[in-house]
Amino acid sequence: MRLALFQPDIPQNLGAALRLGACLGVPIDVIEPCGFPLSDRAMRRAAMDYAERAEVLRHPGWGEFRANHRGRLLLFTTKAGSPFHAFEYRADDILLFGRESAGVPDDVHRVADARLCIPLAADARSLNVVTAAAMALAEALRQTNGFPTGPVSG
């Protein structure tokens, strides 16, 4: 299981995604360019003390990501008709989330193996990208028995 972020716009969201990946043992793919300067220092600052624990793979662009990814590409989008909780996940799936400001371009939609949505109330537009990623990742890990097996904190 992998979590991929397509050209993220907001450094704090990238930091939250890195923390999510670090805590759940899920690698993060960052597909550049980002909407902010992305340096190792900026990533460490955004992810706080979780940056060292996060497994991050940076891709200079969509083409490089496509050349290197393995597994089904599952695009989470407000333009999808299939609800994420009714989908059958596999352990090698890549959960792809678009830019906060614009989602992903049509060519990314076309190559996705599945397009999934999180059903929202009628008057709601969208969730924060990392909130959506956490919901989707939790369901995918639940279905594939992929949650970490270490001690439960609380």
Side-chain angles (χ1 to χ4, degrees):
M1 190 76 54
R2 300 185 72 85
L3 179 62
L5 302 176
F6 182 88
Q7 301 178 354
D9 290 324
I10 302 171
Q12 295 85 348
N13 282 341
L14 176 57
L18 295 178
R19 185 173 182 166
L20 177 67
C23 288
L24 296 178
V26 173
I28 307 293
D29 291 282
V30 180
I31 304 161
E32 300 181 43
C34 296
F36 52 90
L38 183 60
S39 65
D40 290 339
R41 182 174 179 230
M43 269 203 301
R44 283 192 306 274
R45 186 175 58 244
M48 301 187 311
D49 57 335
Y50 287 86
E52 297 300 319
R53 299 179 71 183
E55 183 183 336
V56 182
L57 186 56
R58 291 172 60 179
H59 306 274
W62 175 245
E64 291 82 0
F65 170 76
R66 290 275 295 142
N68 292 312
H69 90 278
R70 303 289 178 261
R72 291 187 305 180
L73 188 62
L74 310 179
L75 175 61
F76 288 78
T77 174
T78 57
K79 298 176 183 177
S82 301
F84 82 106
H85 59 279
F87 188 78
E88 201 168 309
Y89 296 91
R90 297 191 310 226
D92 65 342
D93 286 338
I94 301 167
L95 284 56
L96 174 64
F97 291 82
R99 297 182 75 163
E100 294 91 329
S101 63
V104 299
D106 289 342
D107 61 320
V108 175
H109 272 271
R110 283 191 292 274
V111 300
D113 295 301
R115 288 176 296 286
L116 306 170
C117 67
I118 297 172
L120 302 175
D123 58 345
R125 284 193 335 258
S126 65
L127 293 168
N128 170 278
V129 68
V130 181
T131 301
M135 291 175 66
L137 188 56
E139 177 62 16
L141 292 174
R142 182 191 70 78
Q143 285 188 25
T144 60
N145 295 314
F147 275 104
T149 57
V152 176
S153 63

